[in-house]
Amino acid sequence: MGAQLRVYKRRIRSVSATKKITKAMEMIAAARIVKAQRAVAASTPYADELTRAVSAVAQGANNKHPLTTEVDNPRRAAVLLVTSDRGLAGGYSANAIKAADRLSERLRAEGKEVVPFVVGRKGVAYYAFRNRDVEQSWTGFTDSPTYADAKRVADPLIEAVTRDTAEGGVDELHIVFTEFVSMLTQAPVDRRMLPLSLAASDETEQPAGPRALFEFEPSAEGVLDALLPRYVESRIYNALLQSAASEHAARRRAMKSATDNAEELIKSLSRLANAARQADITQEISEIVGGASALADATAGSD
């Protein structure tokens, strides 16, 4: 029994050490969520207003702009997938990857070739393990993205959209990321960014009432050329921030679950250790009583 008791004590120490790590990670993730939520709240109004401005300019332009004009027979579609660089976040990255796979299947069913772009080591590892080609990937900033990171991601995507498909360009640009709904709910979503839909989108609602009239200098097309890259950058930046907040929330929830499980396992092992200790004590008492009885019998026999 002594050997079994040592095994239980060793396992309790091991689980207790793991519990300290998961508790620390839970507290770190909880602290980072607050900062990530503030960043999302600060960036969302800018991205929404910029989308409205681009829509207004596009509607006022006399000529069709390549980034706002639907292609008659789109052949290639770029899909930007946002995952995490690190694990221990539950099903956060897996859910985003599943959403990207569903979108890719839908686009292929429409006869389009999918060109994947990936953010995050988890997504890169997923595609590499399955020997799937990735047009371009970015890593190292998913838990705290900056606007410079968003611009670095947006530049090749804008270039791909403006390039002809015969030269490796794409006709559409989609993004798959995890939307931060609340501390308990984070939902993977897919959105089409380009060509820009001039109707009211899922992201911004057009205000009711008569439309404002605008005059553009030097021209509506020139304003669009300047605004559309900012629109793509702001939308990607907001998606990166939403994903970062979702990642921290998912990691906090996963680490809390791991901490709770560790506590339950420690209680279970402590009960087993106590039972083993009691059995050990009972066995020692039985041996003492048996020895005393044998000694008493031997003494009585000699008399």
Side-chain angles (χ1 to χ4, degrees):
M1 284 296 179
Q4 188 66 32
L5 182 60
R6 286 193 296 272
V7 170
Y8 288 139
K9 288 184 176 179
R10 186 165 57 249
R11 289 191 63 189
I12 289 173
R13 288 195 299 269
S14 176
V15 175
S16 297
T18 302
K19 176 188 169 184
K20 291 180 181 179
I21 296 173
T22 57
K23 185 65 176 179
M25 294 185 67
E26 176 190 348
M27 296 175 65
I28 292 172
R32 289 179 175 176
I33 290 173
V34 178
K35 181 180 178 181
Q37 282 182 291
R38 291 173 181 169
V40 171
S43 70
T44 300
Y46 172 78
D48 291 345
E49 289 301 326
L50 187 55
T51 302
R52 292 192 183 101
V54 171
S55 298
V57 177
Q59 289 173 340
N62 295 324
N63 299 326
K64 297 295 184 180
H65 194 279
L67 299 186
T68 60
T69 305
E70 297 278 353
V71 179
D72 292 335
N73 295 306
R75 296 187 301 166
R76 306 183 84 223
V79 175
L80 174 63
L81 168 62
V82 181
T83 62
S84 66
D85 285 324
R86 299 185 295 129
L88 301 178
Y92 163 75
S93 292
N95 292 335
I97 291 171
K98 290 178 182 177
D101 285 343
R102 288 193 296 268
L103 172 62
S104 299
E105 291 176 3
R106 187 168 74 246
L107 293 174
R108 291 190 185 97
E110 296 172 358
K112 301 170 186 175
E113 178 188 352
V114 176
V115 183
F117 294 79
V118 182
V119 173
R121 291 189 177 92
K122 290 297 179 180
V124 172
Y126 175 84
Y127 278 81
F129 181 76
R130 287 158 180 77
N131 295 321
R132 297 183 185 178
D133 294 331
V134 174
E135 188 72 14
Q136 196 164 343
S137 61
W138 302 266
T139 60
F141 55 82
T142 60
D143 59 345
S144 57
T146 63
Y147 195 88
D149 297 322
K151 189 177 187 308
R152 187 152 54 93
V153 174
D155 287 345
L157 292 170
I158 296 172
E159 182 184 355
V161 174
T162 55
R163 198 187 315 138
D164 189 83
T165 54
E167 301 175 355
V170 297
D171 299 314
E172 297 178 358
L173 172 58
H174 300 257
I175 183 170
V176 179
F177 65 99
T178 305
E179 185 177 34
F180 183 85
V181 181
S182 67
M183 293 288 288
L184 298 177
T185 306
Q186 301 87 41
V189 296
D190 64 85
R191 303 271 169 77
R192 194 187 79 169
M193 287 196 296
L194 294 174
L196 178 66
S197 176
L198 301 184
S201 65
D202 295 336
E203 303 155 16
T204 59
E205 295 182 0
Q206 301 296 335
R211 296 183 182 276
L213 298 177
F214 298 95
E215 290 185 4
F216 305 106
E217 291 292 342
S219 65
E221 290 73 17
V223 175
L224 269 181
D225 289 337
L227 282 183
L228 279 171
R230 305 289 86 79
Y231 157 77
V232 176
E233 292 168 7
S234 67
R235 275 296 160 198
I236 291 178
Y237 182 49
N238 184 258
L240 292 176
L241 292 176
Q242 295 257 11
S243 297
S246 300
E247 178 185 347
H248 294 314
R251 181 168 291 113
R252 186 201 66 83
R253 191 167 60 249
M255 291 300 98
K256 185 180 187 307
S257 178
T259 302
D260 293 342
N261 290 338
E263 290 179 352
E264 291 297 323
L265 184 56
I266 289 173
K267 291 179 182 178
S268 177
L269 291 172
S270 297
R271 285 193 295 266
L272 293 173
N274 290 335
R277 186 183 300 109
Q278 291 171 0
D280 201 10
I281 293 172
T282 301
Q283 182 177 353
E284 290 179 359
I285 293 174
S286 299
E287 291 174 352
I288 293 171
V289 171
S293 298
L295 182 60
D297 291 343
T299 302
S302 64
D303 291 341

